[in-house]
Every structure is written in C-alpha cells, then in structure tokens.
C-alpha cells in the first residue's frame, strides 16, 4: 500500500500550480497512491484553497469527487525558508496532519524553488530533524519505519562550482538514496523508453557505434518565448536552461554502454561515463529579435535564446561521430526529437544510387514514436525512393499517456531512482557546459517563428541537414 | 523505341489465357511497348479471336480501344511442335506479319508448354533458322540488327538430369544471353525489392548473418487445391512444383552475398553460390484428405501436397542458421512471406524479459510490405510489449502494382536478365531437390483448410513458432 505526505516547498510558484498539483491529482485518480496528505509551504500569505483553485485549470476534465478528496487532504503552511526557528513549528504541523490522516510518516519534500535556496532549506530540514540521514535505510517492505525523500527541481545550480556546493551540502546531511534530482524529460514515455528499446531489441546493438552511425541530432525546439521568466532566463540562457539537463540526459541515454542491469545504479553508472567523456567542439548562438525588450531582461543582454552545439564523445564506440544539438525559444515549431543518421551505403547501382542514408528517429514531443527511414524500390522502375517504417506510440497507446511529473512522482513513491540524476552526472554536465566559453561566440539575431539564425550551417565543416 | 513480336508457343493453354495475354495487354496500356505483334501457336485448331476472347475475363476493366489494338495485331498459327517441316511455313508467317506491321524483327518466343517439349521446340527454331545464336550480339542501341529471345516457363525439367539435358540442348543452339528461364516470383514487386532493400540500406548488412539471426522462415501457403492439374501435379508434388523454383529463388535472394553491382550477371553469380551450398536436413510431408480422389491422380498416390523442409547453407555467413520452408495446397490461407528471426537479446531486466525476439517480415502476397517487430515499453509500467514498425507497400503505392508477368515481359523487352534464372542456378536447385529422398518420409494426412499436418513440429529438435 502506497502512502506518503507530499510537502511542496515553493507551493505558490508556477511549477507547483502547473505541474505538481495536477500530477498529485492524477496519482489519486489513477490509484497510484492509497493514502496521502499534501502540504504546501511558501513565504507568501495565502491559503490552500487559493493554491488549489489556481491549479485547477491545468487539470483537464477534473472529476469533482477526486478534487474534493484532494482538497480535504491538503494544507498550507507559511514558511520563510531562511527562518530556522519556523521549521520546528513546521515539523509539528506535519506530524499533526500525519496523525490526523493516520499516515505512518513517509514524506516527499519537493523543493520547487530556485537552486539558490536548496542549501538553506536542506540544512534546516536536517537540523530540525524533519528528515534524517537514516530514513532511507528503512525503505524495506517488511518494516514500519517511514522514509523521507527530497526532490530537487532543476536547474541544479548554475555552474559546476555551485552544483558541487549544493551536492556537498546535501550529501553530507542526507544519503544519496534519499536525493532525487529531477529532470522531467526523464519522465517522458519516449525518453524512458530509449534504454528499454535499445537493450531489449537485438537489432540495435550491432549498429550502435561509429562504424555504422554517421552523426546524431538532438533537437529541442520551442515555439514559446521566455514567458515572463526574464530574470531567470537572462541569467541562464538556452544552454544552461535546457542543454545542461534535458538534452545531455537524452544524449547520455542514446550513447551509453549497455548497463549490467536496467536498474538505477547501473544505468546511472553508464550515463555518467558518457557525460564524463563529452567534449565541446563548436557552437552557433542566437538571440531572437526583441529579446532585449522583454521584461526583466538587460537591454544589452548577450544571453543566447538559441544554441546549436557540436559535441563529441571521446570513447571507442563514438570517436568521430558528431552529436549535433539544437535548441531555441520562439522557433517555428515545438518539437523534441532524436535523429540517428546511419552512414551511406556503398552504391551498387549503375544509376539511381540512394540520395540519403537511413535514419532512425525518436520523436519525444509533441508526437511520440519511432520512425525508420529506408530506401525502397519504386514499383515498375528500379528507382529508389525513401519510405518510412513507423511505430506510432500515440496511435497504439492513445495520446493520454501520463505526463512526466506524474510518472516521476510515482517513481519517488516507489523509491526508483533510475529516472533521476545522480550527483556525478550533474557535475560532469556542468563541467561540459562550463567549457563552452560563450563570450567567444557571436550572437546571431533571428526572427521569431523562424528556424533560428541562418548561420546555423557554420556549425561544422560539412553541411548538416537539420531534421527539424 | 521498344518493339517486338510476341510468339506464344502453347497459346491455347492456361498460362497464355490467364497471364501472358493480359500481361501483353497491360504492356500496351502502360505504353511499355511502342510497336508489336502477337502470334499464338498451338497444335489445336482454333483462331486468334477465340484465344483472345477466352483471356478477356482475366483483364480487369479492359478498355475497348486498347483491346481493339491488341486484336488488330494478333494472329494464330497452327503448329505441331514435333513436325519439323511446319516450321519453315511458321517462319514465313512470322516474316509476313513483321512486314505488314513494319516491325524490324525483334522476337520474343515464349515456350508456355510442359518442359518435355522444350528441347524439340528449341531444336526446330534453331534448325529452321527462326532464331540464331548470334541474334543476341546485336542487342546494342545503335545497330539495327534485330534480337531474338526465348522464354522458358517453369518447371525447367523435373529433376537434375532432365534439367541438365534441356540446358545442354538449348545452350548449344543459343547463347545464354538469349535464354530467359522464367520464375514469375522474381517478377513480384516485393521479391525484386529484396536485393534492393538489402543493399541500399546500411542498417541491414551488419545484422545479416549467423551472429545475429536465429532462423529464417519462408512460407508459401496456398488456399487453392490442384485445380484440375492432377496429371501434372501428381508427377511433381509440392517440392518440385514450388520449392525448387519460387522458394529457393526467394531463399537465394535473402541469403546471397553482396553482389559487385546490382546487375544480372553479379546477382546471378551470388545467388548461384548460395544454391550450390544448400544442404537438405529434414522434411515433414503431407497430403490433404481427398487428394487421391482428385481427377487424374493415382488412387494410391504418395505425392506430397504439403512440405515443410529444414535447409542449411554451408558457408561462413549462414552456418548454423536453419532455413525453414513451408508450403502446401488447401491450407487455411493464401500467403507468401519471409520471416527473419533475430537472436534473443541478453535480458537485462529483473522482471519482464522480452518474451520473443525481433522479427523482420517481408510480405509478398497477398499484401505487400516490410514489418519489423520490436519490443517497447508499455506506458506507465516497465512491461515490455511487442510493437510493429511497418512499411505497407500497398498503402503507399496502391494495390495495383503490375503483375509479375507484365514486369517480366518488360524485362525481356529491355534485355534485363536479372529477374531470370541462369542455367547453373537451375541445376544447383535440382541437385538439392534430388537429395531429398521423399520415399524415406511418411506422408501425414491433413484436413483441407487447416495449417497442414499436426506433425509439422517434428521438423526440428526445437519448437518452431510458425509465423503464418
């Protein structure tokens, strides 16, 4: 029987409203949690009814019965994260609610705050014995000692130094097994499917190396702009906002060696090895026109809202295979996808050789699925034409597969860390990001709604046919 | 400009009526032949109008204009194949028609007869100088000397000895480049696509060997019975009727090494090498209930109407990979397909390992296409489920791709022998077939409309999961 108290720190923020409360609602609806309570904490003066009401519009077709249940089990606590003395009160508050709802004490702390608060909050949770380092040990089926798990929202720091400091602080106080560094892309069905598909299908492994693969594109294209997040975004930019986390996590799942088992420890071992061996080669940076007039953005800002990167992996499997990453705000479409381009075949035809190589495409958002592009014969002729074999995920399973946060919160409840990022992975990622000396690169302007700056083809010595 | 006179020997037979005349009609309709004449020859007393009328119902949606054109250019000649003196007259008749229609003299002789007549007809065509050995040499673009080509319908003999005799006879009189041994399966779109898809797509070659492939099934399942062909069928049986030709040809396209070029000479070189290295391992034979009561069938007949064979190829690429062939009359469905089963993957999951391996399926009839069966993650769980990636040929190109005989006659016009069988291929196939000592095997009875005899699982030491 699954039971837990969800404690959201930063309960009045956007993430809580748009994603976390809807995810908890879904966990109840889908009977993934049997008994629960929800405590929202924030410095703001508000109440739980207001918080929940603000979130309601992000739940499609909410059912009154389930919504009522959520309301009846939800509470608010006004907490200044920096006032240590308030945490004793907070502790009592949590206990009381647990008692009221006959909960045995399992807790999920969700730090839905900026990373600069992580250390202070963690320290206070620890010093006030709200969470102890030993709560993870009792995560066994046949004992009654409750567990506590702490979820850290991304970004985890803003560079290698800050990430190391946070890691150092939280790992001293808690056990790594209690620490869940979230990257919500790892909760997306097709992302969590990458490793499973690679290693349970015999046909992929022989092809998955520099002998057969020409290059790999990872694309995270956004149609939306910075949406009022000027202050945050202007400090971070595209590379720190999505490359360091989502895109490098996808890259590591695509590139990793075969783990001993498809379990958290082994998956993270092989992912970390990839991130460690990543080398930055080149970048084309861009900024959409009008960015510097956005609210809370420095009018002389050089922050990139677009980045195309060339990376390589210095290991036996991938030596010489470029990984092209492309991301941006205000582009022509919303799409996250991976495109594995195989090498050209030696042409055996006297006429009509294949014009392009084979591609394996993994579409992550907005549509889901695997696509294999092959050459085939056009009937009645010997002409080759590209044809597509596809496995459309949404067609088979419907479009209503759970959202990432629902999957990830369920993984926290189950204690499955395979979809969360380990401290070493975080640090290797930041190390790579820090090696990109952004001020050495020109910032090219691009039109809103375009494919990014025209200069994108200067990324490599050869022409890259971008696939999205 | 394509021009030729089609001369069908055996013009009153079933093949002529059902396939050849409709194919010529289609060649005209699709403008694949610019100028032509058609001469039907047979020992029977009849006329061309009757022959054409009998064929008309095998052409769907025939257009009057094209039909009229066909009628206006068609003739009949009464020919006893064994009366040498009649051939001089036949020669004059052909010349006259060529003159009448201003044809320059290109000729396609189609021997739509039983193989026992091949030698006699060939000899007479040669001795009367209707075809000469040197007509092939002039098959160049800028010279006016006409060509003559001779098409031999299958079966080409009934065992190795008879096939060798025919080959010896015809190769002495004509050049191999003039000789077109037909196997209409090679004219089917998906069959002629096998080599093209294998060798123009980089992803297949690395997987195409005994390291990654577990076994291959080739299935040619027929719903119809022997359809009045009792006399022929009882002499031949399933193995000589379809395994020796269609199924071994498909097998050789699947198994052949990469040819130097995708051209007739090189494709036939590598196909012949496979047929030479084929080894027969085991057979399960069957006969549908009621077969011995069919017209012109020996009431005590031991002829097989069903055969499941295990073959192996004794070369580096295929050593240890069983090729399972299955064919039969009066089975539960009509289907020709190839199923490439990949080896199982090492299971990395603590629970829910893949229950089956990956399959690549090539469907040839009645539906067309490539299908790849993979394991994928079921949403919200870590369960594996099989999913199918497919490239549906009929969906993309429509169901009306040309019939095999239209393609093959067009290849004869173009002088492309890549879809025809060379003498060595024929002989290696018969050698393999002769090595199956049928009388050593029990004939199991099976119900009409069933999947064949239940004993089919005794074919190998392991259980075969038949895919159709």
């Amino acid at each position: 029987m699954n039971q837990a108290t969800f404690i959201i720190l930063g309960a009045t923020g956007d993430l809580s409203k748009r994603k976390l409360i809807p995810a908890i609602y879904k966990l109840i609806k889908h009977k993934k949690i049997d008994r629960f309570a929800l405590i929202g904490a924030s410095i703001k003066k508000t109440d739980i009814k207001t918080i929940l009401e603000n979130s309601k519009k992000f739940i499609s077709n909410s059912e009154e019965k389930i919504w009522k249940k959520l309301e009846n089990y939800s509470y608010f606590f006004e907490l200044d994260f920096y006032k240590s003395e308030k945490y004793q009160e907070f502790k009592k508050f949590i206990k009381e609610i647990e008692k009221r709802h006959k909960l045995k004490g399992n807790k999920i702390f969700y730090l839905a705050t900026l990373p600069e608060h992580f250390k202070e909050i963690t320290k206070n949770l620890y010093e006030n014995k709200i969470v102890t380092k030993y709560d993870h040990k009792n995560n066994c089926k046949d004992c009654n000692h409750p567990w506590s798990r702490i979820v850290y929202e991304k970004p985890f720091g803003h560079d290698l130094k800050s990430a190391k400091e946070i890691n150092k602080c939280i790992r001293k106080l808690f056990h790594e097994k209690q620490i869940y560094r979230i990257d919500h892309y790892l909760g997306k069905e097709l992302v969590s499917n990458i490793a499973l598909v690679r290693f349970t299908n015999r046909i992929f492994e022989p092809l998955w190396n520099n002998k057969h693969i020409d290059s790999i594109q990872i694309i995270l294209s956004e149609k939306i702009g910075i949406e009022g997040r000027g202050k945050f975004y202007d400090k971070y930019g595209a590379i720190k906002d999505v490359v360091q986390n989502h895109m490098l996590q996808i890259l590591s799942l695509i590139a990793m060696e075969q783990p001993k088992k498809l379990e958290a420890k082994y998956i993270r071992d092989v992912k970390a090895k990839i991130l460690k061996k990543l080398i930055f080669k080149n970048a084309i940076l861009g900024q959409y026109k009008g960015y510097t007039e956005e609210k809370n953005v420095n009018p002389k800002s050089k922050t990139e809202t677009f980045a195309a990167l060339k990376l390589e992996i210095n290991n036996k499997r991938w030596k010489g295979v470029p990984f092209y990453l492309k991301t941006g705000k205000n582009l022509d479409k919303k799409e996250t996808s991976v495109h594995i381009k195989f090498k050209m075949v030696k042409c055996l035809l006297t006429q009509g050789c294949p014009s392009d190589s084979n591609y394996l495409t993994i579409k992550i958002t907005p549509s889901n699925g695997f696509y294999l592009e092959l050459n085939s014969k056009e009937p009645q002729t010997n002409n080759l034409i590209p044809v597509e074999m596809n496995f459309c995920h949404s067609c088979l399973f419907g479009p209503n597969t759970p959202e990432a946060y629902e999957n990830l919160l369920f993984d926290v409840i189950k204690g499955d860390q395979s979809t969360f990022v380990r401290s070493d992975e975080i640090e290797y990622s930041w190390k790579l990001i820090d090696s990109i000396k952004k001020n050495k690169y020109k910032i090219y302007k691009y039109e809103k709604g375009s494919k990014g700056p025209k200069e994108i083809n200067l990324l490599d010595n050869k022409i890259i046919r971008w696939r999205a």
Side-chain angles (χ1 to χ4, degrees), chain A:
Chain A
M1 199 174 85
N2 289 326
Q3 55 165 279
T5 302
F6 299 98
I7 300 147
I8 303 176
L9 298 127
T12 50
D14 242 33
L15 182 76
S16 169
K17 179 171 73 184
R18 287 170 187 266
K19 298 293 179 184
L20 302 182
I21 292 167
I24 292 167
Y25 169 91
K26 289 284 177 61
L27 288 173
I28 303 165
K29 185 181 166 176
H30 297 143
K31 298 191 170 51
K32 290 178 184 168
I33 181 98
D34 303 295
R35 305 183 66 162
F36 76 100
L38 165 62
I39 300 169
S42 168
I43 195 170
K44 290 209 179 114
K45 276 191 203 318
T46 181
D47 54 69
I48 193 68
K49 212 172 157 72
T50 311
I51 292 174
L52 292 179
E53 278 308 318
N54 285 337
S55 178
K56 203 167 182 178
K57 67 168 170 286
F58 297 99
I59 302 167
S60 53
N61 306 318
S62 70
E63 292 169 35
E64 207 43 42
K65 202 181 125 196
I66 292 157
W67 185 255
K68 270 276 164 263
K69 191 172 178 185
L70 179 61
E71 275 186 340
N72 292 340
Y73 288 74
S74 293
Y75 301 89
F76 179 71
F77 186 86
E78 195 186 315
L79 177 69
D80 181 338
F81 302 144
Y82 288 82
K83 282 202 178 138
S84 179
E85 64 277 14
K86 280 286 271 184
Y87 283 80
Q88 274 302 321
E89 217 180 293
F90 189 36
K91 186 179 174 182
K92 260 186 232 156
F93 186 80
I94 299 168
K95 278 232 164 111
E96 206 180 285
I97 285 155
E98 286 178 334
K99 205 175 154 188
R100 188 178 308 163
H101 295 295
K102 298 197 177 70
L103 292 159
K104 66 177 179 183
N106 296 338
K107 293 177 202 55
I108 296 169
F109 293 88
Y110 200 114
L111 275 62
T113 72
L114 285 176
E116 46 258 45
H117 309 311
F118 286 177
K119 283 188 287 185
E120 188 67 22
I121 296 171
T122 309
K123 217 177 66 185
N124 279 317
L125 290 175
Y126 175 77
E127 285 174 356
N128 291 285
K129 298 205 166 97
I130 302 177
V131 185
T132 86
K133 194 170 185 167
Y134 303 101
D135 292 346
H136 84 278
K137 289 207 175 168
N138 300 299
N139 178 19
C140 58
K141 277 180 186 160
D142 29 48
C143 64
N144 286 312
H145 191 95
W147 47 256
S148 285
R149 290 162 191 158
I150 310 124
V151 185
Y152 295 88
E153 184 53 39
K154 74 117 193 164
F156 196 87
H158 55 88
D159 60 7
L160 177 58
K161 188 166 167 276
S162 59
K164 272 191 166 170
E165 278 170 17
I166 302 169
N167 269 334
K168 198 176 158 190
C169 165
I170 66 179
R171 296 190 69 193
K172 201 169 70 185
L173 306 179
F174 302 124
H175 195 283
E176 180 74 31
K177 284 196 178 165
Q178 292 172 277
I179 302 169
Y180 289 75
R181 294 173 199 82
I182 211 161
D183 183 327
H184 74 269
Y185 265 71
L186 295 179
K188 290 185 185 283
E189 275 299 325
L190 263 285
V191 174
S192 58
N193 210 347
I194 291 174
L196 219 70
V197 167
R198 275 189 64 192
F199 299 113
T200 62
N201 289 295
R202 177 66 185 241
I203 61 163
F204 291 122
E205 188 52 23
L207 302 168
W208 220 259
N209 53 56
N210 58 5
K211 200 174 154 195
H212 304 296
I213 292 178
D214 174 89
S215 58
I216 293 179
Q217 291 180 21
I218 300 172
I219 292 169
L220 196 164
S221 164
E222 290 185 282
K223 214 172 173 170
I224 57 168
I226 59 168
E227 297 205 303
R229 291 159 74 224
K231 195 179 159 192
F232 166 82
Y233 200 88
D234 206 36
K235 182 180 169 191
Y236 280 79
I239 295 177
K240 292 186 179 182
D241 188 34
V242 299
V243 178
Q244 179 271 330
N245 34 68
H246 308 326
M247 297 181 80
L248 293 189
Q249 282 295 317
I250 293 172
L251 183 150
S252 65
L253 284 168
I254 294 288
M256 71 188 189
E257 294 297 308
Q258 180 162 312
K260 273 186 206 147
K261 285 267 166 198
L262 279 171
E263 288 168 12
K265 177 189 178 325
Y266 301 109
I267 292 176
R268 293 154 124 201
D269 282 349
V270 287
K271 271 166 63 195
K273 273 185 191 161
I274 289 294
L275 295 166
K276 190 178 176 182
K277 293 287 186 182
L278 267 182
I279 305 166
F280 167 70
K281 302 295 275 187
N282 197 16
I284 299 291
L285 304 181
Q287 192 185 74
Y288 63 81
K289 290 180 187 169
Y291 172 72
T292 50
E293 285 118 63
E294 299 263 16
K295 200 181 146 195
N296 292 327
V297 165
N298 178 351
K300 293 183 173 175
S301 175
K302 294 277 181 201
T303 297
E304 84 287 358
T305 63
F306 175 95
L309 305 179
K310 181 187 173 186
L311 305 178
E312 280 186 12
I313 300 169
N314 186 23
N315 70 10
K316 206 180 147 197
R317 185 187 287 264
W318 295 114
K319 208 163 185 84
V321 179
F323 284 74
Y324 300 118
L325 277 54
K326 189 177 87 165
T327 185
K329 291 281 187 192
N330 273 321
L331 294 180
D332 59 339
K333 62 174 163 181
K334 174 185 168 69
E335 180 173 328
T336 306
S337 51
V338 179
H339 307 265
I340 294 154
K341 182 183 181 181
F342 293 93
K343 292 192 171 170
M344 285 293 276
V345 78
K346 194 187 143 205
C347 184
L348 302 175
L349 298 162
T350 22
Q351 50 184 357
C353 288
S355 58
D356 206 354
S357 25
N358 299 146
Y359 283 93
L360 175 67
T361 295
I362 305 166
K363 291 195 179 166
I364 296 165
T365 53
S367 68
N368 289 176
F370 291 92
Y371 298 81
L372 191 58
E373 213 174 285
L374 300 174
N375 295 303
S376 179
K377 183 176 166 296
E378 190 182 32
Q380 305 193 55
T381 73
N382 276 318
N383 297 338
L384 281 176
I385 47 168
V387 297
E388 195 180 76
M389 287 179 98
N390 67 65
F391 151 50
C392 168
H393 198 271
S394 345
C395 311
L396 186 60
F397 300 116
N400 293 319
T401 56
E403 281 215 54
Y405 281 96
E406 181 188 346
N407 289 330
L408 292 174
L409 278 181
F410 191 43
D411 284 344
V412 178
I413 293 169
K414 290 184 293 182
D416 180 356
Q417 292 191 301
S418 60
T419 47
F420 294 84
V421 188
R422 205 167 57 186
S423 56
D424 52 349
E425 293 181 71
I426 288 275
E427 293 181 12
Y428 291 134
S429 306
W430 277 119
K431 198 175 167 193
L432 186 268
I433 299 302
D434 283 1
S435 78
I436 308 173
K437 303 298 171 207
K438 285 202 276 191
N439 52 11
K440 279 177 57 186
Y441 295 90
K442 208 183 145 183
I443 304 283
Y444 297 101
K445 292 279 176 184
Y446 64 96
E447 299 286 343
K448 284 185 191 177
S450 73
K451 289 191 169 293
K454 285 177 206 77
E455 291 79 2
I456 193 165
N457 283 326
L458 304 172
L459 181 62
D460 207 349
N461 296 323
K462 57 184 170 187
I463 289 170
I464 303 163
R465 193 180 138 217
W466 290 99
R467 301 272 297 172

